[in-house]
Coordinates of all heavy atoms in Angstrom, one line a residue:
A7 N 3.5 11.3 5.2 CA 4.5 10.5 5.8 C 5.8 10.7 5.2 O 5.9 10.9 4.0 CB 4.1 9.0 5.7
E8 N 6.8 10.8 6.0 CA 8.2 11.0 5.4 C 8.9 9.6 5.3 O 8.7 8.8 6.2 CB 9.0 11.9 6.4 CG 8.5 13.3 6.3 CD 9.4 14.2 7.2 OE1 10.6 13.9 7.3 OE2 8.9 15.2 7.7
L9 N 9.6 9.5 4.3 CA 10.3 8.2 4.1 C 11.7 8.5 4.6 O 12.4 9.4 4.2 CB 10.3 7.8 2.6 CG 9.0 7.5 2.0 CD1 9.2 7.2 0.5 CD2 8.3 6.3 2.7
A10 N 12.2 7.6 5.4 CA 13.6 7.7 6.0 C 14.5 6.8 5.1 O 14.1 5.6 4.9 CB 13.6 7.3 7.4
L11 N 15.6 7.3 4.7 CA 16.5 6.5 4.0 C 17.3 5.6 4.9 O 17.7 6.0 6.0 CB 17.6 7.4 3.3 CG 17.0 8.3 2.2 CD1 18.1 9.2 1.6 CD2 16.4 7.5 1.0
A12 N 17.5 4.4 4.5 CA 18.2 3.4 5.3 C 19.7 3.5 5.0 O 20.4 2.7 5.6 CB 17.7 2.0 5.0
Y13 N 20.1 4.4 4.2 CA 21.5 4.5 3.9 C 21.8 6.0 3.6 O 20.9 6.8 3.4 CB 21.9 3.7 2.6 CG 21.1 4.2 1.4 CD1 21.6 5.2 0.6 CD2 19.8 3.7 1.1 CE1 20.9 5.6 -0.5 CE2 19.1 4.1 0.0 CZ 19.7 5.1 -0.8 OH 18.9 5.5 -1.9
H14 N 23.0 6.4 3.7 CA 23.4 7.7 3.4 C 23.4 8.0 1.9 O 23.7 7.1 1.1 CB 24.9 8.0 3.9 CG 25.3 9.4 3.9 ND1 25.8 10.0 2.8 CD2 25.2 10.4 4.9 CE1 26.0 11.3 3.1 NE2 25.7 11.5 4.3
P15 N 22.9 9.2 1.5 CA 22.7 9.4 0.0 C 24.1 9.3 -0.7 O 24.0 8.9 -1.9 CB 22.2 10.8 0.0 CG 21.6 11.1 1.3 CD 22.3 10.2 2.3
A16 N 25.2 9.5 -0.1 CA 26.5 9.4 -0.8 C 27.1 8.0 -0.7 O 28.2 7.8 -1.1 CB 27.4 10.4 -0.3
A17 N 26.4 7.0 -0.1 CA 27.0 5.7 0.2 C 27.4 5.0 -1.1 O 28.4 4.3 -1.2 CB 26.0 4.9 1.0
G18 N 26.6 5.1 -2.2 CA 26.9 4.5 -3.4 C 28.2 5.0 -4.0 O 29.0 4.3 -4.5

Side-chain angles (χ1 to χ4, degrees):
E8 289 186 29
L9 298 176
L11 294 177
Y13 61 91
H14 191 273

